[in-house]
Amino acid sequence: MSRRNTTFRGLATGWLLGLLFVAVFADFLANDRPLIAKVGDEIRFPVLHDYGRSLGLVAGYQPLVRNWSRVETEWAVWPPVPYAAEASDVRNGNFKSPFDAQETGDRARHYLGTDALGRDVLAGLISGARVAIVVGLGSVLLTLLIGVPLGGVAGFFGNEGLRGPRYHWWGWTVGGTLGVIYAFVCLFPFFGEIGGPAQFLLVVAAFTAFGLLLRLALRLIPSMRKPMAFPADTLILQGIELFVNIPGLVLLIALLAIIDRPSIWIVVLVIGVLGWPTIARYLRAELLRIKQLPYIEAAKVSGIGRWRTLFYHALPNALGPLLVISCFGIGSAILLEALLSFLGVGIPSDQVTWGTLLRYSQSQPTAWWLAVFPGLLLTGTVLAANGLSEQNNG
């Protein structure tokens, strides 16, 4: 690797790690509550305390403080940006430029300006970094969780490698499918407001329960006990073709538009589910090549189990292409989330992201800071993710 490529890879890695740091510590970098403050004879940690209260570990402060900027404290340590992304500063509303005179009093300036409601742009960029990381990493992780098992089974076992009783295959395929449909149609409305991770676990639980029940029922039928080969490769390829031929962006917008309660986790779930064919297709092609290599044949001759051969010998040697595709996927997911935010689809209306800042700039074309700063961050992040993937590929 040349010195130029090494430098570029270091810059891309540093950019993404810096973005991850900002996302993890966003509440400590931009907040309208102090990190630590002395109120009377009591030393309080408002930001940490809110984390504990959200987890149910501690009770709320008494009396409850709603606006820390008006509380008389002996001393306080504020975040570098003493503004929350969603909080409005009415005295500095109507698009204050970073270079305009600002009425902030003793508080810090709005270093990158404000929007129409007086919300701090720098705080919004920090909040948007957390959303970008959650969507990018979360959707790629979900894509890998779906695509790796499907692509691995299709490429390594083909149509003849998996054999078992008929009730086993019919139970999981038909029963599992019915369970997923039941979760979406009946369980989601019944449980009401649950988060994205809880919805995913609910789908997995319904798939497992229905699959096991139908499998046990079909086992009682003698004809279902006969062995058969499961056409895994054909079925998975058909699924890949189905997802590839559907316009992804149109389907994504349509699905998010009919959801009553928009959520970041819903966006992660939908992007992750729509992205698995890419992982599955590349992994299948790589395993078709790998399973013909001599060391795989030697493992079969030595009596090593097929599943052990797949997980311990074949998959580890196929991780290179998956790493490249995952880096591209992170950049694509972040760009797609920004597009959805720009269109106002799927993202909660009070959630500040890079895309929403770009959308706000439409109403005031002269507010250049609302387009330049999120645009630079979005461009740099996508270039870093794509550049890192190209370096890994090289």
Side-chain angles (χ1 to χ4, degrees):
M1 185 180 295
S2 66
R3 182 175 180 180
R4 180 180 179 181
N5 291 339
T6 303
T7 302
F8 181 78
R9 182 173 183 176
L11 291 175
T13 304
W15 179 280
L16 294 178
L17 289 178
L19 190 67
L20 179 61
F21 174 85
V22 171
V24 171
F25 297 100
D27 290 332
F28 298 91
L29 296 175
N31 211 318
D32 55 1
R33 292 160 294 178
L35 302 177
I36 179 174
K38 186 175 183 181
V39 182
D41 297 330
E42 182 182 6
I43 295 180
R44 296 186 178 184
F45 302 85
V47 177
L48 287 175
H49 187 84
D50 284 348
Y51 276 104
R53 189 175 60 177
S54 63
L55 296 174
L57 301 178
V58 296
Y61 283 129
Q62 296 298 329
L64 180 64
V65 177
R66 298 187 180 277
N67 191 341
W68 276 94
S69 63
R70 298 179 180 178
V71 175
E72 294 185 2
T73 60
E74 293 189 22
W75 53 268
V77 178
W78 289 84
V81 182
Y83 300 100
E86 300 83 8
S88 298
D89 183 0
V90 294
R91 295 180 301 175
N92 294 285
N94 197 25
F95 302 103
K96 285 287 186 178
S97 167
F99 308 111
D100 288 343
Q102 300 177 7
E103 300 179 15
T104 57
D106 296 334
R107 306 188 71 188
R109 285 179 56 86
H110 298 281
Y111 299 111
L112 299 185
T114 65
D115 62 6
L117 301 178
R119 291 176 294 193
D120 188 82
V121 172
L122 181 53
L125 294 177
I126 294 174
S127 175
R130 171 172 286 179
V131 174
I133 288 295
V134 168
V135 172
L137 294 182
S139 60
V140 168
L141 179 60
L142 183 57
T143 297
L144 291 173
L145 289 176
I146 300 174
V148 168
L150 294 179
V153 169
F156 192 78
F157 292 104
N159 287 325
E160 299 294 333
L162 292 176
R163 303 190 66 84
R166 294 179 179 179
Y167 69 81
H168 180 80
W169 306 122
W170 283 98
W172 286 116
T173 53
V174 177
T177 303
L178 292 176
V180 172
I181 296 175
Y182 179 78
F184 277 95
V185 175
C186 300
L187 296 183
F188 282 6
F190 178 77
F191 281 95
E193 297 184 6
I194 58 175
Q199 290 178 336
F200 176 73
L201 293 177
L202 199 61
V203 171
V204 173
F207 174 88
T208 305
F210 275 70
L212 287 174
L213 289 175
L214 186 58
R215 185 175 179 272
L216 292 174
L218 293 177
R219 190 175 182 178
L220 301 176
I221 304 175
S223 61
M224 285 292 176
R225 300 175 187 173
K226 297 180 180 180
M228 63 171 288
F230 183 70
D233 192 31
T234 299
L235 292 177
I236 293 174
L237 279 179
Q238 292 298 322
I240 292 175
E241 291 297 327
L242 176 63
F243 274 81
V244 168
N245 290 325
I246 297 176
L249 180 59
V250 175
L251 179 60
L252 177 63
I253 294 176
L255 289 175
L256 293 176
I258 63 177
I259 295 175
D260 295 332
R261 302 179 183 88
S263 168
I264 294 297
W265 295 111
I266 295 295
V267 174
V268 171
L269 178 64
V270 175
I271 293 178
V273 170
L274 293 180
W276 72 266
T278 303
I279 296 291
R281 183 172 53 186
Y282 278 93
L283 182 60
R284 174 185 176 273
E286 189 68 11
L287 287 178
L288 286 175
R289 179 188 66 84
I290 290 176
K291 73 176 184 179
Q292 304 297 330
L293 297 179
Y295 78 93
I296 298 295
E297 296 295 332
K300 294 179 181 178
V301 172
S302 61
I304 299 177
R306 295 174 300 171
W307 289 101
R308 183 179 177 85
T309 302
L310 172 61
F311 285 106
Y312 287 90
H313 301 284
L315 272 181
N317 291 285
L319 294 180
L322 291 186
L323 181 62
V324 174
I325 298 170
S326 298
C327 290
F328 274 116
I330 292 175
S332 300
I334 292 175
L335 188 61
L336 188 54
E337 179 276 320
L339 175 60
L340 294 173
S341 301
F342 182 79
L343 298 175
V345 178
I347 304 296
S349 58
D350 59 344
Q351 180 71 56
V352 181
T353 68
W354 296 345
T356 57
L357 290 174
L358 290 172
R359 187 175 79 241
Y360 298 151
S361 67
Q362 281 188 310
S363 61
Q364 186 73 12
T366 58
W368 55 267
W369 56 94
L370 291 176
V372 170
F373 297 124
L376 288 176
L377 282 179
L378 185 60
T379 302
T381 302
V382 174
L383 287 178
N386 293 348
L388 189 60
S389 64
E390 291 177 359
Q391 296 298 319
N392 290 327
N393 191 26

